[in-house]
Amino acid sequence: MAWADRKRLALPSFYVLGDVALLKGRAAALGIDIRVQETAPGEASDAFDGALPVVPLENRFLDQPGLPNAANAAGIVEAIDRAVADTMGGAASAVVTCPIAKKPLYDAGFAFPGHTEYLAHLSEKATGRAVTPVMMLAGPELRAVPVTIHIPLSEVPRRLTTAAIVETATITERDLAGRFGIAAPRLAIAGLNPHAGEMGAMGEEDETIVRPAVEALRAAGIDASGPLPADTMFHAAARAGYDAAICMYHDQALIPAKALAFDETVNVTLGLPFVRTSPDHGTAFGIAGKGVARPDSLVAALRLAKRLADGRARAATP
């Protein structure tokens, strides 16, 4: 659907790593008038104007809309592997991932919590250097970064550390400058507890964990403020005072990001040696195969991937 509207949307060229037969069949079933062309990465840009370029995988997919199947896990993992290899090898300028269903991957023996952790593994394998991936939800009105991500809320106080906040904020500041082109990034650091703990009256973590992190960031020359009460950080006037919000847990970051711009917000992985973006939503099995899914977030992810890749290229030019 994104490709079919490529001219009006002025989309950058892209190719799909997938199953040619599945995509042809799905387009026909949904009545989408597109031509699907099997291609190689180096030929995809030339093909893009007249056909959806698809670079075929060795693994095929069972086409069962709305029914996750562990039999498709090998193809999903192969697509991620190939995307990273193509990008790090120079055949592509960025990786744009679509949502994956984790349960069938786990059932097939996938040992990583999700996309982000696996991308970090592939980066380390390719470069020999450890990386810390940082999740950012980037929308037209807010960039929000959670320090802790896919863990139960009950574990957040135990897993949250000053070092983790400092590392997350430092990577965020670096990529805001290097990829987003923000000359002097400003970071707002959220408190963990209501009212940022009210100086220990509503929990000690903001004074013992968060505030020392803010002080360390300032000492390192980073423009960081906080800990700030999360309930007053996300209105328009507050957002005007910072370039990214560093949040302490998953929903503290994702709820305001998605509430403000669900269809335009993009999941960006910072800290990797390549650009990776993704739609901010999941697989939506309930509407799979019905032709009613909106491509807006994927379109936003494609556009931001191009923008960040261009920024990275400019930053690397002497």
Side-chain angles (χ1 to χ4, degrees), residues 295-306:
D296 304 59
S297 189
L298 176 60
V299 167
L302 289 163
R303 286 174 166 165
L304 183 58
K306 176 69 162 59

Side-chain angles (χ1 to χ4, degrees), residues 70-96:
N72 289 331
I76 294 169
V77 173
E78 182 191 355
I80 301 170
D81 290 346
R82 288 281 305 277
V84 172
D86 284 0
T87 303
M88 295 195 72
S93 58
V95 174
V96 179

Side-chain angles (χ1 to χ4, degrees), residues 24 36 62 74 105 115 129 142-143 179 207-208 215 222 255 263 271 284 314-315:
K24 285 183 176 180
V36 177
L62 294 177
L105 289 176
H115 249 142
R129 296 189 298 273
L142 173 68
R143 301 182 191 93
R179 293 186 177 178
E207 296 302 316
T208 61
E215 292 171 353
I222 294 175
I255 287 174
D263 291 313
R314 285 193 299 270

